[in-house]
């Protein structure tokens, strides 16, 4: 398996970590991981990938893997995946590509004719393309109908713990990288409106880092939200679990997504979720049942739903629905079974 180094922040790394932590030995599968991408300067990224490429080539020649599982998004990630695919093809190694890129279609549509042809050829030739949901399946079918896609939603371990109502403070939690497409400025503007029109004890925690962090903090000051919004930095492990359990509602007003791990983590603890209806989020957030789906960039609607879910009865109903949905659809057990079946199918076809 190849993909992001563990130091890279974001959902792809979370998926890779989850796959690496699974006990594959019980399925007679040996999985080895070689990172191919690290967040650093442009030159160092190229050097890092070049070294990884040589390691992978040596591994293929000496260990003869049955399959190579590549995690991919778009832009440079596609370039790296395509080079590795060609390497594997040279040695007749089947390739499974795991597509995470929330802006893959947007990037493809903005590409020139030659690049589009490369993408379509790549999609036709890989053994399997794993997509995160039905919407992404439809998007890929539009790009290249001959792609062999398999829908495997992201998953999460279901904890025994659940979030609880707090009369003194209703805390909304954003988890993610602070980049433009995540819509955090929209969240701040909605929070400012909520503060003007509601006296509910609503607070917000923004847990993440990224290129927009300083601008977001400055905007928080400008909107007079210093006492309402807290920036918690990047959180993982115990710190993240503690933060989730201290909160009540998750909010993610993104403009593009696949199926975010953060949302699955939220519903696994019974959190209602307010999110935009993009990517395959509607598989995990059923509008009016375990949260609300809002229009991208609609500050008024986002503020309205924040106030609506900050009600004990609505919160309690949605919390129960979120926990149930997480158990029924996004259990890690089903996820690993699906991945195992894909591996076996690809290997058997090769034989």
């Amino acid at each position: 398996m190849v993909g992001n180094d563990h130091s890279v922040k974001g959902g792809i790394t979370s998926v890779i970590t989850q796959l690496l932590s699974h006990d594959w030995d019980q399925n007679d599968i040996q999985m080895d991981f070689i990172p191919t991408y690290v967040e650093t300067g442009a030159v160092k990224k190229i050097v890092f990938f070049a070294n990884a490429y040589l390691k992978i080539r040596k591994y293929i020649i000496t260990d003869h893997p049955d399959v190579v599982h590549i995690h991919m998004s778009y832009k440079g990630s596609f370039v790296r995946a395509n080079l590795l695919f060609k390497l594997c093809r040279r040695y007749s190694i089947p390739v499974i590509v795991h597509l995470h890129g929330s802006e893959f279609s947007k990037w493809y549509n903005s590409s020139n004719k030659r690049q589009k042809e490369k993408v379509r050829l790549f999609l036709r030739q890989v053994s399997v393309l794993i997509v995160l949901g039905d919407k992404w399946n439809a998007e890929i079918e539009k790009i290249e109908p001959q792609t062999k896609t398999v829908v495997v939603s992201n998953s999460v371990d279901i904890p025994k713990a659940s979030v609880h109502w707090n009369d003194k403070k209703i805390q909304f939690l954003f988890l993610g990288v602070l980049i433009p497409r995540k819509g955090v400025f929209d969240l701040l503007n909605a929070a400012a409106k909520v503060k003007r029109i509601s006296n509910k004890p609503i607070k917000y925690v923004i847990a993440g880092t990224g290129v927009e962090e300083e601008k977001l903090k400055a905007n928080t000051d400008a909107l007079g939200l210093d006492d309402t919004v807290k920036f918690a930095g990047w959180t993982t492990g115990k710190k993240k679990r503690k933060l989730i359990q201290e909160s009540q509602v998750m909010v993610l007003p993104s403009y593009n997504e696949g199926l975010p791990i953060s949302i699955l983590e939220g519903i696994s603890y019974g959190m209602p979720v307010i999110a935009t209806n993009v990517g395959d989020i509607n598989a995990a957030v059923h509008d009016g049942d375990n949260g609300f789906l809002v229009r991208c960039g609609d500050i008024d609607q986002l503020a309205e739903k924040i106030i609506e879910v900050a009600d004990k009865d609505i919160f309690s109903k949605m919390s129960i629905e979120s926990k149930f949905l997480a158990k029924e659809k996004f259990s890690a057990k089903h996820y690993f079974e699906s991945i195992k079946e894909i591996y076996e199918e690809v290997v058997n076809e090769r034989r």
Side-chain angles (χ1 to χ4, degrees):
M1 187 167 70
V2 301
N4 290 353
D5 182 76
H6 69 88
S7 63
V8 179
K9 298 177 176 67
I12 297 176
T13 305
S14 297
V15 172
I16 291 170
T17 301
Q18 185 181 38
L19 284 164
L20 291 175
S21 64
H22 182 63
D23 180 14
W24 291 105
D25 289 343
Q26 65 181 326
N27 303 120
D28 294 324
I29 294 172
Q30 178 189 331
M31 180 183 287
D32 294 309
F33 176 67
I34 299 175
T36 53
Y37 175 76
V38 67
E39 285 182 333
T40 183
V43 174
K44 289 184 178 179
K45 283 180 184 177
I46 293 169
V47 172
F48 188 88
F49 175 71
N51 288 331
Y53 184 93
L54 294 174
K55 288 178 186 175
I56 293 165
R57 182 176 178 274
K58 181 180 178 182
Y59 187 96
I60 287 173
I61 293 169
T62 58
D63 292 83
H64 310 291
D66 294 297
V67 63
V68 173
H69 183 167
I70 300 174
H71 294 271
M72 184 186 83
S73 55
Y74 57 100
K75 288 185 179 178
S77 181
F78 168 76
V79 174
R80 292 189 296 274
N82 197 27
L83 287 170
L84 292 173
F85 168 69
K86 289 177 179 178
L87 172 66
C88 294
R89 190 175 174 85
R90 192 186 314 157
Y91 292 95
S92 301
I93 306 296
V95 170
I96 295 167
V97 174
H98 207 140
L99 181 63
H100 303 272
S102 57
E103 297 191 317
F104 184 84
S105 295
K106 182 180 177 182
W107 166 73
Y108 170 81
N109 291 329
S110 66
S111 298
N112 60 38
K113 184 179 179 181
R114 186 179 177 186
Q115 181 77 329
K116 285 180 177 178
E117 288 173 354
K118 281 185 182 179
V119 172
R120 290 196 299 272
L121 179 63
F122 173 85
L123 293 175
R124 282 198 302 273
Q125 291 183 335
V126 297
S127 298
V128 170
L129 184 80
I130 297 174
V131 292
L132 303 183
D134 293 332
K135 281 189 178 179
W136 272 108
N137 198 29
E139 287 291 318
I140 295 301
E141 188 173 346
K142 283 191 288 185
I143 293 171
E144 179 45 68
Q146 293 183 50
T147 310
K148 184 178 180 181
T149 56
V150 177
V151 176
V152 181
S153 297
N154 286 335
S155 73
V156 67
D157 290 320
I158 311 297
K160 292 181 180 179
S162 293
V163 296
H164 298 286
W165 180 256
N166 185 341
D167 286 318
K168 295 180 181 179
K169 182 175 71 171
I170 308 157
Q171 185 162 289
F172 287 72
L173 175 64
F174 169 90
L175 279 174
V177 184
L178 304 182
I179 54 178
R181 72 174 175 84
K182 290 292 186 176
V184 189
F185 279 106
D186 292 345
L187 175 58
L188 293 180
N189 289 327
K193 178 168 185 178
V194 169
K195 188 175 181 180
R196 291 195 301 271
I197 65 177
S198 174
N199 59 3
K200 291 182 178 182
I202 295 173
K203 303 291 182 182
Y204 308 84
V205 173
I206 297 173
T209 56
V211 295
E212 292 201 316
E213 185 171 354
E214 294 309 314
K215 288 182 180 178
L216 288 166
K217 288 178 178 177
N219 193 234
T220 299
D221 293 339
L223 291 170
L225 295 171
D226 307 64
D227 60 340
T228 306
V229 177
K230 174 187 174 184
F231 286 82
W234 189 256
T235 60
T236 58
K238 289 182 180 179
K239 183 181 177 183
K240 179 166 66 174
R241 292 192 291 272
K242 183 173 183 289
L243 191 54
I244 289 173
Q245 291 182 70
E246 291 172 348
S247 304
Q248 279 71 47
V249 182
M250 181 160 285
V251 58
L252 185 66
S254 292
Y255 284 76
N256 282 296
E257 286 292 348
L259 179 56
I261 290 290
S262 60
I263 284 182
L264 300 186
E265 289 172 330
I267 67 172
S268 76
Y269 281 89
M271 295 183 92
V273 180
I274 300 175
T276 42
N277 191 10
V278 295
D280 281 289
I281 285 178
N282 63 1
V285 183
H286 296 176
D287 190 41
D289 291 334
N290 72 317
F292 294 111
L293 294 171
V294 300
R295 294 178 291 274
C296 293
D298 193 328
I299 308 302
D300 292 338
Q301 189 187 26
L302 181 55
E304 174 191 324
K305 296 307 178 185
I306 286 171
I307 294 169
E308 190 171 343
V309 79
D311 173 271
K312 185 176 182 180
D313 291 337
I314 292 174
F315 163 85
S316 299
K317 169 186 167 291
M318 288 187 167
S319 178
I320 292 169
E321 290 294 328
S322 275
K323 192 78 169 183
F324 176 78
L325 183 61
K327 288 178 178 177
E328 288 295 303
K329 286 192 67 176
F330 301 105
S331 164
K333 180 182 177 182
H334 302 311
Y335 176 75
F336 293 124
E337 278 293 319
S338 298
I339 297 293
K340 178 179 77 72
E341 287 171 7
I342 292 170
Y343 290 160
E344 290 174 343
E345 181 182 345
V346 169
V347 171
N348 289 334
E349 283 180 359
R350 182 189 180 195
R351 290 170 180 165

